[in-house]
Amino acid sequence: MRISSVVAGAVLGLAALLAASPAPAQQITFPAPVFRGGNTDWQVKLTTARDLSVGYELKVPRAKRLSGPLQQQATEGHGRYTLVGKIALKTTTNISVQLAPVKLGEVCKDKKGNTKDPNGQPFTYAIQILDLDKPVKIGSTVIPLWFGCGRFTDQ
């Protein structure tokens, strides 16, 4: 009787663990419905809508507030996300927005050396926005239009 109780408990525990596991890295809803990030001179907000589409609001030095849709692309690595879309600066540019979790034991810093957002929450992701039409390269490295830090949030 005791062995069957232990086995039943283990099975129920395993079922609860599997039911509570985090969403796969490629799920469009991300770990939370909103991502806020940027650096000292730019900000971005990525929002997952009810239809699971992702929209961006981007504020950069060269333009007023920009917004539009993004589509997710396949990405290698747990917790990494790549989205593609268009922004209109002087001309319309195809962009790639890439998010990657901060490595364990490391921190993401903005240009002022801050490791936390204005609400005092630590940055958990690095973000970069790349120009897909006219990428700037140094050797084989593509230089982002903008790079910074951010975190997922419910608002």
Side-chain angles (χ1 to χ4, degrees):
M1 196 82 146
R2 283 190 146 175
I3 292 175
S4 63
S5 297
V6 171
V7 171
V11 168
L12 288 174
L14 181 59
L17 179 65
L18 292 174
S21 20
Q26 297 306 311
Q27 186 170 334
I28 198 72
T29 55
F30 304 119
V34 177
F35 178 87
R36 292 181 183 274
N39 212 317
T40 57
D41 56 345
W42 70 278
Q43 293 98 35
V44 68
K45 177 181 174 186
L46 306 175
T47 307
T48 305
R50 287 182 188 211
D51 67 357
L52 301 183
S53 64
V54 176
Y56 71 87
E57 292 178 40
L58 179 64
K59 187 175 179 185
V60 296
R62 294 185 276 172
K64 294 183 180 182
R65 188 167 297 230
L66 306 167
S67 62
L70 294 171
Q71 299 296 319
Q72 187 162 359
Q73 257 186 3
T75 303
E76 290 185 25
H78 180 71
R80 294 179 176 266
Y81 304 92
T82 297
L83 301 120
V84 294
K86 295 179 184 293
I87 60 170
L89 294 169
K90 290 181 180 178
T91 61
T92 300
T93 303
N94 288 304
I95 61 165
S96 172
V97 178
Q98 298 178 346
L99 305 171
V102 175
K103 293 179 183 175
L104 190 61
E106 295 184 14
V107 294
C108 186
K109 294 181 182 180
D110 67 14
K111 290 178 183 175
K112 289 185 179 177
N114 298 320
T115 60
K116 296 180 179 180
D117 69 14
N119 296 324
Q121 298 298 316
F123 296 130
T124 53
Y125 277 77
I127 180 172
Q128 63 179 4
I129 300 178
L130 305 169
D131 183 337
L132 296 177
D133 291 335
K134 299 175 193 163
V136 176
K137 291 185 179 184
I138 295 179
S140 62
T141 303
V142 178
I143 306 301
L145 292 169
W146 303 286
F147 65 93
C149 305
R151 61 186 293 276
F152 284 97
T153 178
D154 291 330
Q155 302 177 16

